[in-house]
Amino acid sequence: MPSYRVRAFVGTLRPGTSAPELLPEAVDFARTLVTVEAWDVEVVRRRARVTIRYQADDDTSARQAGWAVLHHLDERAEIEGRTLTRRFGSRWYPVRA
């Protein structure tokens, strides 16, 4: 089954959002849609970037799940630099619309 990932830089949190709970809640939401493989928060150029990697049957279902997860994040924080990619070998490539 193909591996996909969504990534986004996280900015200002919206009212009622807890920083320590942002990623775990997004992962829990993603698990309602797909099989989550891994997740991470990293600092890139002094900005927090979240990553959720998951499995999906095909690009269409991966797109639906990925954009739903990004929407979930966007409701809780200002996010930018959204990406949805698919793994081929050891590289990640954008999923086309």
Side-chain angles (χ1 to χ4, degrees):
M1 187 172 294
S3 185
Y4 298 86
R5 73 179 178 195
V6 290
R7 283 182 154 174
F9 286 100
V10 178
T12 305
L13 300 178
R14 304 209 191 279
T17 301
S18 163
E21 295 301 317
L22 180 68
L23 183 57
E25 288 176 0
V27 170
D28 288 344
F29 176 76
R31 284 184 174 138
T32 67
L33 306 170
V34 291
T35 300
V36 175
E37 297 176 318
W39 59 93
D40 190 27
V41 175
E42 58 191 325
V43 178
V44 178
R45 288 176 247 123
R46 300 186 335 203
R47 298 171 62 197
R49 180 172 68 185
V50 297
T51 301
I52 300 175
R53 195 175 79 218
Y54 59 96
Q55 294 179 346
D57 292 330
D58 54 37
D59 287 357
T60 301
S61 58
R63 248 190 321 276
Q64 291 170 346
W67 292 123
V69 170
L70 290 169
H71 179 72
H72 178 86
L73 284 168
D74 193 44
E75 289 180 331
R76 286 150 184 80
E78 293 179 12
I79 62 171
E80 349 177 296
R82 301 168 178 96
T83 62
L84 170 59
T85 53
R86 179 181 178 170
R87 187 175 187 160
F88 289 100
S90 62
R91 302 213 36 199
W92 293 91
Y93 296 92
V95 175
R96 303 288 178 213

